[in-house]
Amino acid sequence: MGRSRNARREREAAKDVVEQVDGGLAQLVPDRERARAWTLLIDGAPQSHVDLDDPAHLSFEYQRRLGHVIDLAAPPGKPVHVVHLGGGAFTLARYVAATRPRSTQQVVERDAALVRLVRRELPLDANARIRVRSADAREGLAKVPDGWADLVVADVFSGARTPAHLTSAEFLDEVRRTLKAGAVFAANLADGPPLAHLRGQIATAAARFAELALVADPAVLRGKRFGNAVLVASDLPLPVAELTRRAASDPHPGRVEHGRALTDFTGGAAPVTDAAAVASPAPPPSVFR
C-alpha cells in the first residue's frame, strides 16, 4: 500500500521536460497513470510513449500494430536484426529488446538533439544491442549491409509529415537491398480524405513487394478521418489471419486489408518515384486537440 502511495506521489511530482531540438520544441510529459512512463511530443504532436518499467507496453494505437508485426516477423522470442528509420523515444527498439532479447538493432534518427534528450531523460537499457545513428533515414539506410535485416520499420515524420524522399520506389529499392530474403518491411503512414497519399504508397509497395497488408482504423480506411495506417510488405506470404485477429482485439479495433481488396483500394494509383514524390499531407489541427 505504501509503495503504491509513493509511486502515485512520484507521478504527481514529475514535471514536463521541455527542450528545443532540431525538429522543433520537444516535450516529455509524465504519464499520470504509470509511474515511469512518458509521452514525447514535438511541436505539440505526439510522437512516442515509453514506459521505462514496462518497455513491452505500447500505448499508441499505431505502435501497437507495429508491435504485432514485430511479434509475427519471427518465432516468439527469437533474436532478430531490425532497422528502425525514425527513432522518436526508441519505443519500438525498446519493445524488440524486451520481447526478443539478444536482438541486434540499428536506429536512424536525424534529430541529434532529440537523441541526446531521450538518452539523457529516458536512457536505454545498457545491455540492449541498440545502435543509434544520427543521420537522415535514407542516408543511414544506405550504410546498412546488404541482406542484413529481418525487419525494417519506417516511422519517420518531420513536422508531422513523412518527407518526400521516403515515399518513393527508389527508397523501397534501398529497403529491399538491406532485407534478408523473405524479410519484412513495415511503415507507419498517415493520411486523411481523399487518401491519395495512402493509395499511392500501397501502389508503390506493390511495385516492389509480392505480398502486402494494411492495418488501420475502419474510419480511416473509409476516408472519414485523418489517421495512421500500418503497411506491411514482404516477398513471402504474410501472417494475415493472425494479424487480423490481433488488430481486431486491440482497444481500438483495426481492420486488415490484403489481396484483391487492397489492390482495389488503390483505385488505380500509380507508384511514386523520386521525381514525383511529395511529403505526406499535414494533419488537420483538430487531430491533436
Side-chain angles (χ1 to χ4, degrees):
M1 187 74 173
R3 183 178 301 174
S4 174
R5 187 160 47 244
N6 289 339
R8 186 170 65 251
R9 287 173 179 167
E10 288 179 11
R11 288 197 297 270
E12 292 170 352
K15 304 294 185 183
D16 291 10
V17 178
V18 182
E19 196 165 301
Q20 191 70 35
V21 296
D22 300 338
L25 188 67
Q27 294 173 269
L28 287 171
V29 180
D31 186 331
R32 301 305 178 187
E33 301 300 321
R34 304 177 75 92
R36 297 179 67 227
W38 299 78
T39 297
L40 168 67
L41 300 93
I42 305 291
D43 288 338
Q47 301 288 324
S48 303
H49 180 277
V50 169
D51 188 335
L52 295 176
D53 289 333
D54 183 10
H57 173 75
L58 298 176
S59 179
F60 287 5
E61 179 181 288
Y62 84 86
Q63 289 183 330
R64 190 177 298 108
R65 288 169 183 161
L66 286 169
H68 298 328
V69 176
I70 292 167
D71 291 345
L72 298 171
K78 179 182 178 182
V80 290
H81 287 179
V82 186
V83 178
H84 301 269
L85 303 178
F90 314 141
T91 303
L92 291 171
R94 297 173 201 265
Y95 180 84
V96 172
T99 60
R100 296 183 177 278
R102 302 183 309 283
S103 290
T104 303
Q105 303 184 75
Q106 298 188 42
V107 178
V108 184
E109 169 55 61
R110 181 173 186 169
D111 195 327
L114 176 62
V115 170
R116 290 192 295 270
L117 170 65
V118 172
R119 281 190 178 279
R120 186 185 74 231
E121 299 294 334
L122 308 174
L124 289 164
D125 181 347
N127 295 318
R129 300 176 181 178
I130 302 173
R131 178 187 180 187
V132 182
R133 178 184 289 123
S134 295
D136 170 79
R138 197 154 154 180
E139 292 174 2
L141 187 64
K143 298 182 186 306
V144 177
D146 292 2
W148 183 85
D150 296 291
L151 176 65
V152 173
V153 178
D155 184 16
V156 185
F157 287 86
S158 176
R161 303 177 71 184
T162 300
H165 69 298
L166 304 180
T167 68
S168 68
E170 290 89 341
F171 164 65
L172 291 186
D173 287 336
E174 190 66 14
V175 169
R176 283 184 61 90
R177 181 192 62 77
T178 68
L179 289 172
K180 297 176 182 177
V184 176
F185 170 65
N188 175 34
L189 309 174
D191 200 7
L195 299 178
H197 173 72
L198 184 56
R199 298 181 204 279
Q201 288 302 283
I202 297 166
T204 305
R208 293 298 185 266
F209 291 94
E211 301 286 338
L212 302 180
L214 185 73
V215 193
D217 186 298
V220 173
L221 292 176
R222 291 197 299 269
K224 298 296 186 183
R225 68 172 181 85
F226 193 98
N228 296 86
V230 170
L231 178 63
V232 190
S234 178
D235 283 332
L236 294 181
L238 295 165
V240 172
E242 181 61 17
L243 186 60
T244 299
R245 187 191 69 78
R246 292 181 181 224
S249 64
D250 281 340
H252 298 284
R255 193 171 87 208
V256 175
E257 295 286 5
H258 66 101
R260 179 60 183 273
L262 188 55
T263 301
D264 291 345
F265 177 81
T266 66
V272 177
T273 64
D274 275 344
V278 296
S280 66
S286 60
V287 167
F288 304 124
R289 286 176 185 167

